[in-house]
């Protein structure tokens, strides 16, 4: 048995041990305890001792109290003088943060809570930022940085002695039911109250007051402490007691389906409530299992890459990867972010690993950059720069795991797959020493394997590193004696032993109480004592690979008569008592183990692969979620209750899901081309066999209004149609036909109804800019008839389409494009009737859906829900280009893969693809309507889209051009009385557009003419041949490129049309350039080309043919292009020298620039 075996840490015949020299091993921690008393910052109990001493002194008499008050006033005066002189005295030097090149605003002390004052005087101050922090949606207790002001005023904690703290004190650990809930920043401010008399005397001698008596009275601290803060006074239950019923945003996240199984799950509450912490995309979720509630910690703009918690489960730290990466520390009792580190990675890569000391004072991070950086942060002092940092060489490999020594917050260990690194932080010199010995097969004459995790041994003198070969590497930690200077004798680690623990790779290595715990690839969990002798194991759970183990903070209950603890595997057969714990597996399943019953309880099972397919039931609160792992799960999204699921055979990944209009069946498309028709309530096959007519991923599924047709599209640009036939009184689905109708990816597949009948019509929209309609009535087996092909755009490719709601008499098809435009096409003729500016939120709309209405009264007030690359948003209809009628919020930073809406329009659901999550968003249309009203009425929102607004230079010039065009149409040299009106004729629209810097193509000009001409045709039957200035402004704003013409766009054209010259530039030869202008696209005649170049090159005065009658004037001599144009034309030459555009330093064309 295990207790009779030889201690694996001792030298044995079965393993090879390195020879060691006799060295001096001081009792490191005993020496540390015997050293002279350290600063109060490292003594968590010192604060309470000083509190008791002060209370005893206060009881001695009134006279003594008056002396203390006089001392407080003197301290305030002295502190103010010291702030002016810049004198840093005593331990408070550490709490002061040097300014980082910006001015901290002075904030009023009114409304400052007691806890805020303690935070500030301890060096912890909430920060106010204006750039990225304004985008960072944190609901913080306070938003202003007051530390500089209080230092200037000299506020001392002595003036706050009489106020109650309002939060529980630290309890001795190790007793059941007791935790360490005291905030760590309390301990950091005590040095200021406990200054030695000699230091205090020297400080008083140096200080000189620069404040007048009136200034001191103005900033009396007594008036600035109205009450205690929520963070200081909260209890564990307040997080799920808060009322979140009031929704003040148009879109509010109410639930998160799925979790990131590559990150740990933490067991943060127990006893009467079981609460877990895990990450889901860019949100940290605190989940109450018993109440089935979630609280979301939102604030990251990128996917959370790592998270950790303090030993007492009070403080949570989360970090992300990507541009503008953040580190946020949260209070788990209230869900409030207490500190945010904004510039942790200037390179922008983000954080790969994070760890917090057991006393929660310090935070350590490892960056995700090519050259990784280890940083230690004094987050309780609100420091914006690390206390120390260390750049790691590339040879160390990619460090992905980090942890502190639980008994010494100056020691850390991290590991990559090939290297283990030990760190010692010398706080005095801000130095982070490290030791990283390289292990090879020759070290132990055996294969070590790849490292997974490393921890400090329970004996505190060794480090253990687990490998994927089932082995443990034991490292001896060699620490120099305390008197030795750090610069001469640095600590280091040395490989001591290689212990073969098991065959299966060890994925998790941790400690709890007196046990070392491992989890492995086969789902086994094993417990070892400090000699690495096996004590107990759980192998009967039949789990997948263990990803995380998290133990309750409440110690195990001592065995009683009725307890059902199992016995360990030693010869003695002692009762095996262990804390309850939570298991997270690679199958994205989370379990809870109640140790005294050895009972495994499954808490939830989520998809372990990407989620791209979601669909809502048409009249019940059900949502179907499909994953690449082959799982389809159906949830009741109102009760947040899992109902049923089905897991398909290996290799079948769910790519698309759609309910039919009746909600009886569910169409499912898979990644390898299979199409299933399933019963909506059981997920059993509705058709005898699945359809396997496609060989590639099925991306779209759509049903006709009467559920008689089903169409699919795949990545091979093919559309397939299936139809229902009645056989023997039963409806049977059969394959009809398929056609490869596009030559680029299909973006939308849409059924509709003809206006003059109830027959179904089918349309597909491709990235090839083709809108294709199919004739279903004339299609037959293996033949899909095409009815019409229409090109939607000349430049931008379409992204999605829907039927526009009947808000007008004319029926439209709405198509969104990659140029941030929304186009309305006549449903019958497919003429482009309107071009409008769509939502501009970093990327074009990728999917759009019409929000269902609850009542008939809402039919005339409709809304769209859309997603783009990483956001979900709302758009008020009708679309008119007003930017205030839309809103959006980041939903999945790594990309949105799907969108679904509840049957009643109350919720929107977004699938995150690779982040393996689905977010549920509650829709509040009243909040959106309120935001629209703030944007102004009539033309007010549109004036804000032009430089300078209504009174700016641009609009004034537009007015001048508008009225000049009237003179031009009447003849510049005419002597007749001028007729000035509010209109200009259609023929003048292109000239005015070009005059203000917008150069539309002939197709766009024709779209503008159609938009103006037929704007009232449906209502009056008449066409319009003129336009007013307000309407002209709207047309200009809706048609112009949202970001202007850029050099990058011109460069892309040259990349396609040109060739690479000897200097590596993309160029077009002069002869080819002139030929392209006359033969490709909207080609020009030789006469038109000569006129344009004559004007552009300054050979004729600008505007020489500005009047219509000037067309018959003498054109002058021909242009010699060989002399005027270079032999090779680059994009920059074309933009600057020929067109005369002004190029900004960043390489983009100035939108206001022109020839």
């Amino acid at each position: 048995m295990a207790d009779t075996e030889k201690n694996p840490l001792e030298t044995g015949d079965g393993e090879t041990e390195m020879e060691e020299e006799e060295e001096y091993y001081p009792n490191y921690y005993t020496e540390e305890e015997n050293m002279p008393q350290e600063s109060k910052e490292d003594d968590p109990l010192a604060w309470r001792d000083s509190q008791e001493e002060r209370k005893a002194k206060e009881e001695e008499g009134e006279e003594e109290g008056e002396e203390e008050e006089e001392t407080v006033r003197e301290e305030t005066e002295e502190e103010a003088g010291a702030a002016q002189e810049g004198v840093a005295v005593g331990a408070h030097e550490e709490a002061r943060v040097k300014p980082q090149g910006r001015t901290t605003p002075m904030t009023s002390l009114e409304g400052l809570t007691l806890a805020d004052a303690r935070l500030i005087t301890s060096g912890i101050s909430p920060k106010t930022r204006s750039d990225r922090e304004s985008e960072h949606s944190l609901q913080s207790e306070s938003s202003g940085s007051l530390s500089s002001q209080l230092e200037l005023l000299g506020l001392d904690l002595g003036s706050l002695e009489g106020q109650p703290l309002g939060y529980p004190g630290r309890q001795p650990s190790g007793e059941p039911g007791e935790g360490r809930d005291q905030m760590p920043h309390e301990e950091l401010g005590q040095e200021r109250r406990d200054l030695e008399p000699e230091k205090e005397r020297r400080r008083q001698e140096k200080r000189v007051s620069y404040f007048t008596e009136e200034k001191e009275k103005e900033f009396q601290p007594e008036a600035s402490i109205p009450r205690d803060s929520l963070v200081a006074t909260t209890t564990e239950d307040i997080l799920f007691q808060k009322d979140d019923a009031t929704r003040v945003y148009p879109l509010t996240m109410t639930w998160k389906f799925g979790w990131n199984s590559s990150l740990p799950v933490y067991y943060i509450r127990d006893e009467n409530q079981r609460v877990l912490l895990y990450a889901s995309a860019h949100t940290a979720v605190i989940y109450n299992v018993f109440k089935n509630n979630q609280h979301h910690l939102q604030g990251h703009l990128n996917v959370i890459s790592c998270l950790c918690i303090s030993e007492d489960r009070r403080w949570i730290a989360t970090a992300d990867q990507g541009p503008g990466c953040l580190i946020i520390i949260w209070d788990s009792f209230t869900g409030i972010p207490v500190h945010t580190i904004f510039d942790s990675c200037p390179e922008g890569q983000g954080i790969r690993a994070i760890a917090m000391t057991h006393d929660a004072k310090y935070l350590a991070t490892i960056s995700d950059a090519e050259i990784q950086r280890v940083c230690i942060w004094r987050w309780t002092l609100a420091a914006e720069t690390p206390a120390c940092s260390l750049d790691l060489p590339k040879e160390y490999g990619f460090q992905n795991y980090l942890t502190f020594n639980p008994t010494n917050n100056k020691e850390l260990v991290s590991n990559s797959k090939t290297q283990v690194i030990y760190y010692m932080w010398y706080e005095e010199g801000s130095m982070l020493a490290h030791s990283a010995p390289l292990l090879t097969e020759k070290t132990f004459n055996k294969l070590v394997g790849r490292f997974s995790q490393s921890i400090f041994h329970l004996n505190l003198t060794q480090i253990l590193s687990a490998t994927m070969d089932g082995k443990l590497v034991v490292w001896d930690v060699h620490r120099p004696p305390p008197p030795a200077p750090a610069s001469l004798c640095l600590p280091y680690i040395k490989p001591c032993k290689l212990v073969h623990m098991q065959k299966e790779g060890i994925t998790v290595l941790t400690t709890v109480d007196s046990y070392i715990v491992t989890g492995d690839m086969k789902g086994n969990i094993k417990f070892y004592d400090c000699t690495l002798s096996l004590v107990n194991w759980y192998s009967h759970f039949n789990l997948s690979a263990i990803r995380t183990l998290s133990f309750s903070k409440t110690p195990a209950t001592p065995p009683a008569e009725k307890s059902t603890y199992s016995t360990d595997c030693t010869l003695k057969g002692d009762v095996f008592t262990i804390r309850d714990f939570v298991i997270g597996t690679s199958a994205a399943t989370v379990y809870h183990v109640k140790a005294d019953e050895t009972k495994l309880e499954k808490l939830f099972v989520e998809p372990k692969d990407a989620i791209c397919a979601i669909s809502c039931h048409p009249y019940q609160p059900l949502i179907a979620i499909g994953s690449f792992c082959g799982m389809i799960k159906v949830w009741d999204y109102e009760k947040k209750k899992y109902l049923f699921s089905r897991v398909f055979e290996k290799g079948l990944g769910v790519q698309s899901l759609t309910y039919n209009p009746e909600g009886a069946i569910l169409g499912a498309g898979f990644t390898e081309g299979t199409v299933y028709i399933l019963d909506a309530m059981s997920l059993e096959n509705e058709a005898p066999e699945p359809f396997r007519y496609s060989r590639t991923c099925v991306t779209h599924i759509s049903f006709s209004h009467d559920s008689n047709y089903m169409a699919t599209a795949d990545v091979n640009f093919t559309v397939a149609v299936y139809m229902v036939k009645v056989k023997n009184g039963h409806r049977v689905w059969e394959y009809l036909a398929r056609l490869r109708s596009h030559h680029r990816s299909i973006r939308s597949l849409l059924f509709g109804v003809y206006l003059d009948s109830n027959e179904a019509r089918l349309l597909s929209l491709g990235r090839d800019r083709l809108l294709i309609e199919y004739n279903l009535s004339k299609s037959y087996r293996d033949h899909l008839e095409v009815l019409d092909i229409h090109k939607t755009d000349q430049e931008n490719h379409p992204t999605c389409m829907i039927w526009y709601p009947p808000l007008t008499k004319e029926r439209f098809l709405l198509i969104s494009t990659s140029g941030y435009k929304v186009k309305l096409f006549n449903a019958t003729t497919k003429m482009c009737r309107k071009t409008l500016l769509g939502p501009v939120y970093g990327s074009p709309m990728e999917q759009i859906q019409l929000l269902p209405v609850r009542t008939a009264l809402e039919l005339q007030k409709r809304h769209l829900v859309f997603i783009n690359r990483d956001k979900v948003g709302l758009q008020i209809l009708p679309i008119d280009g007003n930017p205030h009628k839309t809103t959006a919020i980041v939903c999945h930073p790594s990309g949105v893969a799907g969108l679904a809406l509840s049957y009643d329009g109350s919720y929107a659901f977004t699938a995150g693809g690779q982040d393996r999550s689905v977010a549920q968003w509650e829709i509040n249309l009243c909040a959106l309507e309120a935001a629209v009203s703030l944007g102004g009425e009539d033309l007010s929102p549109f004036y804000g889209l032009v430089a300078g607004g209504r009174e700016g230079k641009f609009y004034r010039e537009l007015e001048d051009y508008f009225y000049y065009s009237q003179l031009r149409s009447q003849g510049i040299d005419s002597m007749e009385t001028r007729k000035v009106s509010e209109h200009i004729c259609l023929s003048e629209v292109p000239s005015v557009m070009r005059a203000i810097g917008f150069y539309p193509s002939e197709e766009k000009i024709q779209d503008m003419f159609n938009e103006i001409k037929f704007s009232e045709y449906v209502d009056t039957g008449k066409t319009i041949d003129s336009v007013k200035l307000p309407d002209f402004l709207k047309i200009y704003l809706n048609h112009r490129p949202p970001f202007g013409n850029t050099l990058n766009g011109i460069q892309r054209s040259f990349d396609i049309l040109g060739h690479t010259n000897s200097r590596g530039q993309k160029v077009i030869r002069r002869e080819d350039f002139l030929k392209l202008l006359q033969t490709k696209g909207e080609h020009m005649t030789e006469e038109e080309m000569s006129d344009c170049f004559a004007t552009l090159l300054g050979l004729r005065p600008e505007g020489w043919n500005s009047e219509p009658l000037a067309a018959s004037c003498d054109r002058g001599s021909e242009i010699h292009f060989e002399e005027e144009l270079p032999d090779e034309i680059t994009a920059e030459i074309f933009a600057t020298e020929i067109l005369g555009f002004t190029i900004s330093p960043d390489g983009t064309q100035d939108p206001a620039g022109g020839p």
Side-chain angles (χ1 to χ4, degrees), residues 647-681:
V647 179
F648 292 83
E649 61 188 70
K650 188 175 181 180
L652 291 179
V654 185
Q655 176 66 49
S656 52
L657 289 173
T658 304
Y659 283 99
N660 74 329
E662 288 79 22
I665 60 176
L666 177 67
F670 289 80
T671 53
E672 42 72 66
T674 304
V675 176
Y676 278 79
I677 299 178
L678 308 173
D679 180 83
M681 293 295 110

Side-chain angles (χ1 to χ4, degrees), residues 66-329:
E66 293 175 355
E67 294 177 357
E68 289 180 2
E69 292 179 1
E70 182 65 22
T71 303
V72 170
R73 286 192 293 269
E74 292 176 359
E75 291 246 343
T76 304
E77 182 176 342
E78 293 161 359
E79 287 279 329
Q84 291 291 333
E85 293 180 357
V87 179
V89 182
H92 195 61
E93 291 178 352
E94 181 179 305
R96 298 188 181 182
V97 181
K98 295 182 179 179
Q100 302 296 317
R102 59 175 176 269
T103 304
T104 304
M106 294 293 289
T107 308
S108 173
L109 293 181
E110 292 298 328
L112 182 66
T113 64
L114 172 61
D116 290 335
R118 290 190 180 276
L119 286 172
I120 294 162
T121 50
S122 300
I124 305 171
S125 56
K127 302 294 180 184
T128 56
R129 313 274 289 233
S130 59
D131 298 325
R132 285 175 294 154
E133 300 179 21
S134 62
E135 301 169 4
H136 173 59
S137 56
L138 298 178
Q139 301 173 352
S140 180
E141 279 286 283
S142 55
S143 62
S145 176
L146 307 177
S147 60
S148 60
Q149 181 174 349
L150 285 182
E151 288 179 4
L152 186 65
L153 299 178
L155 291 184
D156 193 287
L157 284 178
S159 62
L160 307 175
E161 290 295 339
Q163 299 292 337
L165 283 179
Y167 40 78
R170 186 179 298 274
Q171 309 245 351
S173 59
E175 298 182 12
E178 295 182 351
R180 295 177 294 174
D181 298 335
Q182 185 174 344
M183 298 172 61
H185 55 250
E186 297 170 11
E187 305 157 10
L188 302 179
Q190 301 312 312
E191 296 170 347
R192 191 178 180 94
R193 294 194 294 267
D194 297 301
L195 292 172
E196 298 177 3
E198 181 62 22
K199 291 183 179 180
E200 186 69 19
R201 183 185 61 80
R202 291 197 303 265
R203 181 177 63 179
Q204 292 176 2
E205 292 175 354
K206 292 181 179 180
R207 291 183 177 178
V208 178
S209 176
Y210 287 88
F211 278 88
T212 64
E213 187 173 345
E214 290 76 8
K215 289 281 185 179
E216 292 180 293
K217 292 180 180 179
E218 181 181 353
F219 294 100
Q220 285 299 323
E222 288 80 1
S224 62
I225 310 175
R227 61 184 178 84
D228 292 344
S229 72
L230 183 62
V231 174
T233 60
T234 187
T235 64
E236 294 188 12
D237 298 323
I238 193 173
L239 187 64
F240 294 100
Q241 292 176 358
K242 293 192 295 185
D243 183 15
D244 295 331
T246 303
R247 307 296 186 189
V248 296
Y249 302 105
L251 290 165
T252 304
M253 185 190 297
T254 59
W255 197 262
K256 266 283 193 175
F257 302 91
W259 68 290
N260 187 349
S261 57
S262 60
L263 296 180
V265 175
Y266 289 107
Y267 194 176
I268 62 174
R269 303 283 188 277
D270 46 20
E271 297 177 347
N272 297 328
Q273 54 180 340
R274 187 176 298 161
V275 181
L276 309 180
L277 168 71
Y278 55 88
S280 180
H282 66 311
T283 305
V285 180
I286 300 178
Y287 175 50
N288 190 316
V289 177
F290 293 154
K291 294 183 179 181
N292 196 29
N293 286 344
Q294 286 184 353
H295 182 87
H296 304 121
L297 305 181
Q298 301 181 75
H300 289 280
L301 295 178
N302 307 298
V303 173
I304 293 176
S305 57
C306 51
L307 70 164
C308 65
I309 59 174
S310 61
E311 179 66 16
D312 60 1
R313 313 299 202 268
R314 177 70 189 268
W315 310 105
I316 300 169
T318 57
D320 62 55
Q321 292 176 350
C325 58
L326 302 174
I327 301 173
I328 308 178
I329 295 89

Side-chain angles (χ1 to χ4, degrees), residues 176 471 504 677 745 992 1102:
K471 301 173 183 177
E504 300 82 12
I677 299 178
S745 62
V992 180
E1102 226 175 304

Side-chain angles (χ1 to χ4, degrees), residues 15 20 70 122 198 237 555 808 830 839 965 1001 1106 1120:
E15 304 291 347
E20 303 181 47
E70 182 65 22
S122 300
E198 181 62 22
D237 298 323
T808 61
K830 299 185 179 64
S965 67
S1001 64
S1106 60
H1120 299 284

Side-chain angles (χ1 to χ4, degrees), residues 619-769:
Y619 58 85
Q620 291 186 24
L622 305 178
I623 181 172
I625 301 174
S627 169
F628 281 5
C629 66
M631 175 189 292
I632 298 178
K633 292 185 67 175
V634 178
W635 288 76
D636 183 329
Y637 55 76
E638 288 185 348
K639 297 180 180 179
K640 310 299 187 295
K641 182 180 179 182
Y642 157 72
L643 298 179
F644 48 88
S645 64
R646 177 178 175 180
V647 179
F648 292 83
E649 61 188 70
K650 188 175 181 180
L652 291 179
V654 185
Q655 176 66 49
S656 52
L657 289 173
T658 304
Y659 283 99
N660 74 329
E662 288 79 22
I665 60 176
L666 177 67
F670 289 80
T671 53
E672 42 72 66
T674 304
V675 176
Y676 278 79
I677 299 178
L678 308 173
D679 180 83
M681 293 295 110
S682 65
L683 299 183
E684 297 296 328
N685 290 359
E686 185 74 12
E689 292 292 332
F691 299 107
R692 293 186 172 89
Y693 292 94
S694 177
R695 299 178 181 177
T696 56
C697 180
V698 178
T699 56
H700 297 79
I701 295 182
S702 182
F703 287 93
S704 63
H705 69 289
D706 54 6
S707 296
N708 287 331
Y709 290 95
M710 179 183 74
T712 65
D714 60 31
V715 297
N716 271 353
F717 327 132
T718 302
V719 174
V721 178
Y722 307 84
M723 66 181 300
V724 171
K725 289 188 177 181
V726 179
K727 292 184 178 181
N728 301 325
H730 297 284
R731 291 167 56 90
V732 180
W733 284 93
E734 290 187 353
Y735 164 76
L736 178 61
R738 60 195 302 263
L739 176 68
R740 185 170 181 173
S741 50
H742 295 270
H743 60 270
R744 298 195 70 180
S745 62
I746 297 174
R747 304 296 300 177
S748 288
L749 193 63
L750 187 64
F751 275 100
V753 179
Y754 288 106
L755 297 179
D756 54 352
S757 68
N758 198 37
E759 293 184 8
R761 59 189 298 196
L762 175 64
L763 301 96
S764 64
L765 181 68
R767 192 181 170 92
D768 52 10
R769 303 182 182 90

